[in-house]
Amino acid sequence: MNRTSVAEKWVDGTAGMTRPSNVVWCDGSKAEYERLIEEMLRDGTLLPVNTHTYPGCYLHRSHPSDVARTEQLTFICTREKDDAGPTNNWMAPAEAKAKAGEYFKGAMRGRTMYVIPYLMGPAGSTMSRTGIMVTDSAYVVASMHIMARVGDVAIKAMRRDDDFIAGVHSLGDLSPDRRLILHFPEEKLIWSVGSGYGGNALLGKKCHALRLGSWQARQEGWLAEHMLIIGVEDPQGEVTYLAAAMPSASGKTNLAMAVSSLPGWRVWTVGDDIAWIHVDATGQLRAINPERGFFGVAPNTSPRTNPNATAMVKSNTIFTNVALTPSGEPWWEGLTPEPPAGLVDWQGQPWKPGTPAAHPNSRFTVLAQQCPSIAPNWEEPQGVPISAFIFGSRRSKVIPLVFEAFDWGHGVFLGSAMSTETTAAITGQVGVVRRDPMAMLPFCGYNMADYFGHWLAIGSRASKAPRIFRVNWFRRGDDGKFLWPGYGDNVRVLKWIVERIRGGGRAQETPIGWIPAPDGLDTDGLALSRAQIAEALKVDRGEWRQALGELGDFYGQFGARLPQPIAATLAETQRKLRA
Ligand code: GTP
Ligand code: SPV
Ligand code: MN
C-alpha cells in the first residue's frame, strides 16, 4: 500500500500519545474482517448467534452507559466561538486538546492500534472524500468495514499527501466522565475518546460525513446532509429521486426501504442516513450516499413495518444491544407481536417483563448490498439527480402529514423551522420537543445561521431548484394514537409528491404551504375515514401562531447572522396566519 508520508507521520505521532503495543494498517479485506471476528469471539466482544437461521451474524453488548450518541460531550472546536454558533457546544482548540490529551495519554497501552484508511462515497466519484482514522476497538474496525470503503481504495482516492480527514479514536476507559467527541474543522481533525458507540466512534459517519463534511461543503459549495436518498418508481417505470432529512430514529431507514402499499409503485434505496449533494455543470443537484452500509435502529423493524430490512439482517449482520431468544436468535421489541418466552435481555440477564428486552437504541450493522431494495445505480459515481427534498420530523401535534413549500426560499425556511421529539438515539430524556433545523442540529459543523444562508445560495445556483416538502408521520389524535398508518403507506405521500413535481397533484393553499386537496392523496384501500385524513392534514392557525412565536425566539440567538430572507419569511407567514 502506498501510504503517504504525511499519514505515516501523523500515525506515528498518535501512537506516541496513545502508546499501543502494536500498530496494524487495515486493508479492508474479507480475510481481515474474518480475523477481527475471530478475535472478538475469543475475547467476548462478540457473541455468536444462531448460525443456522442467522449465518454470519453476531451480537455485541456495549457498556450499559455507552448506548447512544452523547451530544453534551460533543464539541466543535473552532478558533472563533461564533463560527461554531449558538447551537453547538464549543471548546477552544487548545483547551480541547489539553483535556482530551489527558484521556488519550497511554490509553492504548496493551492494545492494538488499527489504522483505517477509508473512502466516503463510491470509488471514482469526484464527490467522494477520504479519511484515515485510528482506533483501539476491533468492533469499530469491523463496523467501519461495513459502513465505509476501507483500504487501498481509499489510499488511491487521495488526491494529495494530506488529502484526508484525520480521526483519533480510543475506547479509553468507557467512562462518560472521560468521554469527549471533538471536531477541529480548521485542522481536518477529529478526536473521540471514551465511547465505542456508532455515531461517537465510527468517525466516517457523523463526525466526518456530517460535521466536518458540512464545513467543507460550505467552503466548496455543496451540501452534506442527514438525509436518506430514494428512487420512487411509478407504475410506468419512471424513477424520481428524492432526498429526505429526518432526525435520529425518526424514519429515514424505514422510508428508504419502504415496500409500497400502492400497486405499481416501488421505492429504491440509495442511502438511509447521509447524502452528499453537488450542483452539477448543468445546474442539476446530484446526490451520493457516502456510506457503504446501514447502521439501523432495530426496535420495531418487522416483516410488517420494514420487510426489506428484516430480510437484510438475516445474514452477515452485527447486532448491538438486542435481546436473544433461547435458540440464540436476535430479538427486539416489535419484531414479533409477542415476546418469545425465555428471552435474555440486551445486558445478558433473564428478561423481566416491563423492562426493555432490546435496548431502545439497539442497532444492526449490515452492508447496503444486502438490502433487497438497493437501487441498481446506488454506487454510480455521478450520483442520482434530486427532484425534491423532504423535511420530516416526529411531532405528535401541530405539523400536518405533508405539505409543500411555495418555493425554494420558503422550503429552506420550513427546514430551518423544524422541531422534533427526542428519541433514544441520543442520551437524555426521550419525547421532549426541541428545535432541529433540517435534522442537522447535532451534526452541523458550523454556525447554523451561515448554514441557512448556504442553503439559500445553493438554490440560486440550481438551474431548476428541487421542490421542498415537509412531512410528519407521527401526528397523534386525541386518543393518543398515530393518525397515519406510516411505513408502506408513506408511499401514498411520496406519490402525491411525485405528482406535484410533475405538475399534477391536487393541492390547496394555506398560510404554511400547499396541503393535499381532500381528494389529493391516494387513500384507496386505506381503512381511514375522510375525517381522519382531514385531521392528519389539518392546519390549526392558533397552534401555528404559537409555534412560530417560539421559532422567533430560536432565530433570535443568531442575531444579525441570520439571513434576512429567513426572518422575512417568518414575518410573512405570521402575517398570513393573522389575516
Ligand atoms: P437514525 O439511524 O437514528 O438516523 O434513524 P432513522 O431516521 O433512520 O429512523 P428509523 O427509520 O430507523 O426509524 C426509527 C423508529 O421510528 C423505528 O422504531 C421505526 O419503526 C419508527 N418509524 C419509522 N417510520 C415510521 C412511520 O412511518 N410511522 C411510525 N409510527 N413509526 C415509524
Ligand atoms: C443517528 O443518531 O442519527 C444515527 C445513529 O444515525 S449514529 O450513527 O450513532 O449517529
Ligand atoms: Mn442518523
Side-chain angles (χ1 to χ4, degrees), residues 69 197-200 205-206 226 248 252 273 295 363 425 443:
R69 283 185 298 101
Y197 171 75
N200 291 338
K205 197 172 176 49
K206 298 300 165 59
H226 191 203
S248 301
K252 288 182 302 302
D273 197 51
F295 180 61
R363 299 247 166 190
F443 306 122

Side-chain angles (χ1 to χ4, degrees), residues 161-443:
D161 270 11
D162 65 345
D163 184 23
F164 60 92
I165 301 279
V168 187
H169 172 257
S170 171
L171 294 174
D173 60 10
L174 288 176
S175 155
D177 300 334
R178 294 159 59 80
R179 179 181 302 165
L180 284 171
I181 298 98
L182 305 172
H183 305 74
F184 306 90
E186 288 140 338
E187 299 171 57
K188 298 196 299 181
L189 180 67
I190 304 158
W191 275 17
S192 168
V193 61
S195 166
Y197 171 75
N200 291 338
L202 313 180
L203 302 188
K205 197 172 176 49
K206 298 300 165 59
C207 300
H208 176 162
L210 288 180
R211 298 198 190 93
L212 267 64
S214 62
W215 176 283
Q216 289 187 325
R218 175 157 181 261
Q219 286 182 333
E220 299 170 8
W222 49 282
L223 294 169
E225 299 299 325
H226 191 203
M227 288 183 174
L228 65 90
I229 309 165
I230 48 176
V232 182
E233 183 176 331
D234 71 10
Q236 286 71 48
E238 196 176 327
V239 181
T240 306
Y241 293 93
L242 312 174
M246 295 166 180
S248 301
S250 298
K252 288 182 302 302
T253 301
N254 278 271
L255 187 62
M257 297 169 197
V259 173
S260 171
S261 64
L262 288 175
W265 289 78
R266 181 165 186 167
V267 173
W268 294 101
T269 313
V270 177
D272 85 324
D273 197 51
I274 300 176
W276 282 355
I277 304 147
H278 288 241
V279 186
D280 77 8
T282 69
Q284 169 70 53
L285 269 65
R286 307 192 69 94
I288 59 163
N289 170 10
E291 301 191 279
R292 185 180 180 229
F294 306 124
F295 180 61
V297 174
N300 286 322
T301 304
S302 74
R304 184 187 68 82
T305 58
N306 192 343
N308 282 326
T310 310
M312 162 177 90
V313 302
K314 275 275 161 87
S315 62
N316 310 318
T317 299
I318 299 177
F319 293 97
T320 301
N321 293 336
V322 300
L324 280 185
T325 69
S327 57
E329 295 186 348
W331 191 86
W332 48 81
E333 277 74 5
L335 176 60
T336 53
E338 293 300 326
L343 280 175
V344 171
D345 76 10
W346 64 280
Q347 298 190 73
Q349 301 302 316
W351 174 60
K352 288 198 216 55
T355 66
H359 187 275
N361 191 39
S362 54
R363 299 247 166 190
F364 52 76
T365 312
V366 62
L367 284 172
Q369 67 192 37
Q370 293 212 168
C371 181
S373 58
I374 195 74
N377 56 343
W378 81 281
E379 291 189 285
E380 267 180 27
Q382 74 274 21
V384 295
I386 296 298
S387 297
F389 288 112
I390 299 171
F391 294 116
S393 72
R394 187 183 275 275
R395 287 299 308 271
S396 50
K397 300 267 172 261
V398 189
I399 312 296
L401 175 64
V402 59
F403 57 104
E404 183 187 356
F406 297 120
D407 55 29
W408 180 265
H410 183 239
V412 173
F413 161 75
L414 290 179
S416 80
M418 208 153 76
S419 57
T420 199
E421 287 150 26
T422 52
T423 64
I426 46 174
T427 299
Q429 226 184 321
V430 168
V432 185
V433 177
R434 71 169 192 185
R435 306 239 64 100
D436 193 355
M438 280 92 165
M440 282 288 278
L441 179 83
F443 306 122

